[in-house]
Amino acid sequence: MKLVLLVFRVLCLACLWPVTLLENRYPERKKNKDVYLGEHAKHKFRGRMDYKLKRKDSTKSLLIKTEQLLRIEDHDFAMRPGFGGSAIPVGIDVQVESIDSISEVNMDFTMTLYLRHYWKDERLAFPSTNNLSRTFDGRLVKKIWKPDVFFVHSKRSVIHDTTMENIMLRVYPDGNILYSVRITVTALCSMDFSRFPLDTQNCSLELESYAYNENDLMLYWKNGNDSLRTDEIALSQFFIEEFHPSHGLAMYSSTGWYNRLYINFILRRHIFFFMLQTYFPTMLMVVLSWVSFWIDRRAVPARVSLGITTVLTMSTIITGVSASMPQVSYVKAVDIYLWTSFLFVFLSVIEYAAVNYFTTKEEMKKLKQLKIRDPELSEFDASQAMAYDGCFHDTDIELSTFPPMSDLNSDPCMTSLNSAVPDLPRIMGTRLRRRRSIRQSVNHIMSNSYKIDSYSRIFFPVTYMFFNIIYWSIYS
């Protein structure tokens, strides 16, 4: 009998030995099971907590413990808080980190900001003896309700995810929630370039709920004008004059009225860059075109090459400015300055064309007079009339021959005519000078083409200076 009992005990020990080995090898299974059962027991029996759960550190608990604490599985978070009642207020607080770029060609700007939402969801309230909040990352955000705020007129937006998604969720015991996210957004800015580059641009970033109209969700600035804060922002081409928030309503015919928040900022362009790149080179080209007025009118290659060089340089400047600007249908301030300067350069070339033409006519007239006075110069080579002019003169010009002045004096008819006219006495007194008409003045200038350069030396600089005074007084 004793032998049978001994054999029975050995068999029992042999059966229990594998179970003991498994418990010693995986001790955490039992511990996790106790934690889950203790948390379940706390929820089921309204406050009674297992002793092992009390001793466990809540900051090192599993995610399932947070879900049980916030009772996420007990509510439908696809519905907004207070569904069927009044609109839920959602406060907005924005901190602008930087304005990364402003593009005139695309008419947009890129901004990086911290967007914070404040609302209350009593479904997430939890008991707490020390009234401390709990902070979570983006993993829990996907399981609860949150406002569907989007950026109106945005082209691109991205939530930063290095090294993890830049999302923060903070839940307070009374159900108040802070939801913060770091976003970079590229949005449209309708710019007016009529005064470019002496312009000031008004841009705004607009926030609005996509699905909930004003009957379901009310957007507002959390702290009024203090809800918008900015870091120290420095831009290369602009100076930020003002940052201020505002609010309004947006109407959609199919869905109704929506609350809309505005982040407004005013940008004033720095003019110094464009003074160096556009205005100063343009002024120098215009002044350089005036140098031809002091060059001899017979030096054709020098004056023509100078005029063509300034014209081509002005064309290059205009093309470069147009390439960096959007193709707008109205005239910009820089266009007025560039094309007016181009007109001055072009007129300096036309001025020399007129001087060259009138000089040629003057030389041809002198050549005719020489042939009339001395018939022996009929074989004179006309190509030598303007040796320094570079102009070709036809040698086959037919000039009518007139008798020399000595033959006219020996003509009896002319002699009798001169004798018939008595010598008039000289009258002493004031000499009256007849005023020239406009046509006579033009003929006088044409016969004295060198005066055109003299007048141009004064007319062009004075006119261009007068244009600059008017231009900068209007646009500056």
Side-chain angles (χ1 to χ4, degrees):
M1 187 66 181
K2 293 182 179 180
L3 182 61
V4 174
L5 292 175
L6 181 61
V7 172
F8 180 75
R9 290 179 180 179
V10 171
L11 292 175
C12 292
L13 291 174
C15 293
L16 295 176
W17 180 65
V19 177
T20 306
L21 290 177
L22 289 175
E23 290 180 354
N24 294 331
R25 188 174 181 180
Y26 302 99
E28 292 297 327
R29 286 188 176 180
K30 185 177 180 181
K31 186 181 296 185
N32 294 342
K33 185 177 181 180
D34 293 338
V35 172
Y36 175 76
L37 290 176
E39 188 70 14
H40 180 70
K42 175 186 176 182
H43 175 66
K44 184 175 181 180
F45 299 102
R46 297 183 180 180
R48 287 185 296 173
M49 187 180 297
D50 188 74
Y51 178 72
K52 295 181 179 180
L53 183 60
K54 288 184 178 180
R55 297 183 61 183
K56 186 173 180 65
D57 189 357
S58 62
T59 61
K60 298 179 181 180
S61 61
L62 299 179
L63 182 60
I64 192 171
K65 183 179 179 180
T66 298
E67 295 180 3
Q68 292 290 338
L69 177 66
L70 300 178
R71 303 189 304 276
I72 292 179
E73 299 296 336
D74 296 343
H75 302 282
D76 183 10
F77 284 96
M79 310 298 293
R80 70 172 179 86
F83 178 77
S86 59
I88 175 174
V90 177
I92 298 294
D93 185 3
V94 173
Q95 180 174 352
V96 179
E97 181 181 358
S98 64
I99 298 179
D100 303 323
S101 64
I102 298 174
S103 175
E104 292 88 358
V105 177
N106 299 323
M107 286 193 181
D108 59 22
F109 63 92
T110 302
M111 178 185 293
T112 300
L113 51 90
Y114 298 93
L115 179 61
R116 303 183 180 97
H117 311 70
Y118 301 86
W119 76 94
K120 186 174 183 179
D121 191 347
E122 295 181 353
R123 296 173 296 183
L124 297 177
F126 61 91
S128 176
T129 57
N130 50 14
N131 199 28
L132 295 179
S133 62
R134 292 204 174 193
T135 303
F136 309 98
D137 56 16
R139 288 174 291 183
L140 188 64
V141 172
K142 300 176 182 179
K143 298 183 179 182
I144 66 171
W145 181 91
K146 55 185 178 295
D148 57 342
V149 176
F150 78 104
F151 298 99
V152 186
H153 306 307
S154 65
K155 297 182 178 180
R156 294 175 301 276
S157 59
V158 59
I159 297 177
H160 293 258
D161 55 359
T162 305
T163 57
M164 291 196 53
E165 284 187 323
N166 297 168
I167 295 176
M168 186 267 289
L169 179 69
R170 182 171 294 169
V171 182
Y172 293 87
D174 57 354
N176 285 315
I177 299 173
L178 166 60
Y179 170 59
S180 178
V181 59
R182 182 169 176 255
I183 303 176
T184 294
V185 57
T186 300
L188 177 67
C189 179
S190 299
M191 301 182 182
D192 182 17
F193 297 105
S194 58
R195 300 177 64 90
F196 177 87
L198 304 168
D199 56 336
T200 300
Q201 302 296 339
N202 297 322
C203 298
S204 63
L205 185 63
E206 305 172 8
L207 294 85
E208 183 182 307
S209 174
Y210 189 83
Y212 300 99
N213 57 23
E214 64 173 353
N215 296 324
D216 292 323
L217 189 146
M218 183 184 67
L219 281 179
Y220 69 97
W221 290 110
K222 175 68 173 177
N223 301 313
N225 293 333
D226 296 332
S227 301
L228 180 60
R229 295 183 294 272
T230 60
D231 296 338
E232 191 69 26
I233 300 176
L235 301 176
S236 58
Q237 292 190 20
F238 291 93
F239 173 74
I240 302 177
E241 289 189 344
E242 183 181 1
F243 255 111
H244 67 277
S246 62
H247 61 88
L249 291 175
M251 173 62 184
Y252 297 92
S253 58
S254 57
T255 54
W257 293 90
Y258 290 79
N259 294 111
R260 181 175 293 185
L261 303 181
Y262 300 87
I263 302 174
N264 305 302
F265 54 97
I266 301 176
L267 301 173
R268 181 167 54 86
R269 195 182 305 271
H270 293 302
I271 188 60
F272 187 71
F273 171 79
F274 294 93
M275 291 295 294
L276 292 179
Q277 297 294 324
T278 303
Y279 285 98
F280 284 159
T282 302
M283 292 178 185
L284 291 178
M285 287 301 105
V286 175
V287 174
L288 184 61
S289 66
W290 300 340
V291 177
S292 63
F293 301 152
W294 279 267
I295 299 177
D296 187 12
R297 55 197 171 107
R298 295 180 176 83
V300 177
R303 296 190 65 163
V304 170
S305 60
L306 180 60
I308 297 300
T309 300
T310 53
V311 168
L312 293 178
T313 305
M314 284 299 304
S315 301
T316 304
I317 295 175
I318 294 174
T319 304
V321 173
S322 301
S324 61
M325 293 297 298
Q327 305 300 321
V328 295
S329 59
Y330 50 86
V331 180
K332 303 182 288 293
V334 67
D335 294 335
I336 296 176
Y337 194 89
L338 289 177
W339 283 104
T340 304
S341 300
F342 182 82
L343 180 62
F344 274 89
V345 174
F346 182 76
L347 289 178
S348 66
V349 179
I350 299 300
E351 184 269 347
Y352 178 64
V355 170
N356 184 272
Y357 175 76
F358 294 145
T359 303
T360 304
K361 297 290 290 184
E362 182 180 354
E363 295 292 339
M364 293 298 296
K365 185 176 180 181
K366 291 181 180 179
L367 180 60
K368 288 181 182 180
Q369 293 177 356
L370 289 175
K371 289 185 177 181
I372 292 173
R373 293 178 182 179
D374 194 353
E376 295 180 357
L377 296 177
S378 59
E379 300 297 331
F380 180 76
D381 188 2
S383 62
Q384 299 177 359
M386 295 180 65
Y388 300 98
D389 216 5
C391 300
F392 177 76
H393 303 280
D394 193 359
T395 57
D396 297 332
I397 298 176
E398 294 182 0
L399 299 175
S400 58
T401 57
F402 294 92
M405 298 300 294
S406 59
D407 296 340
L408 291 176
N409 294 330
S410 61
D411 191 350
C413 295
M414 295 298 295
T415 305
S416 60
L417 182 62
N418 293 333
S419 61
V421 179
D423 295 336
L424 297 176
R426 294 182 179 272
I427 301 175
M428 302 299 295
T430 304
R431 183 179 180 182
L432 298 178
R433 188 173 183 178
R434 186 178 180 182
R435 186 176 182 181
R436 294 177 181 174
S437 63
I438 298 177
R439 184 174 182 180
Q440 289 176 344
S441 300
V442 172
N443 292 331
H444 176 70
I445 294 175
M446 291 175 59
S447 60
N448 299 276
S449 58
Y450 66 91
K451 291 186 177 181
I452 299 178
D453 282 341
S454 301
Y455 295 151
S456 299
R457 296 168 189 171
I458 301 175
F459 176 76
F460 275 77
V462 171
T463 306
Y464 192 69
M465 187 178 299
F466 183 69
F467 161 73
N468 275 274
I469 293 174
I470 296 177
Y471 178 85
W472 294 108
S473 62
I474 293 175
Y475 289 104
S476 62

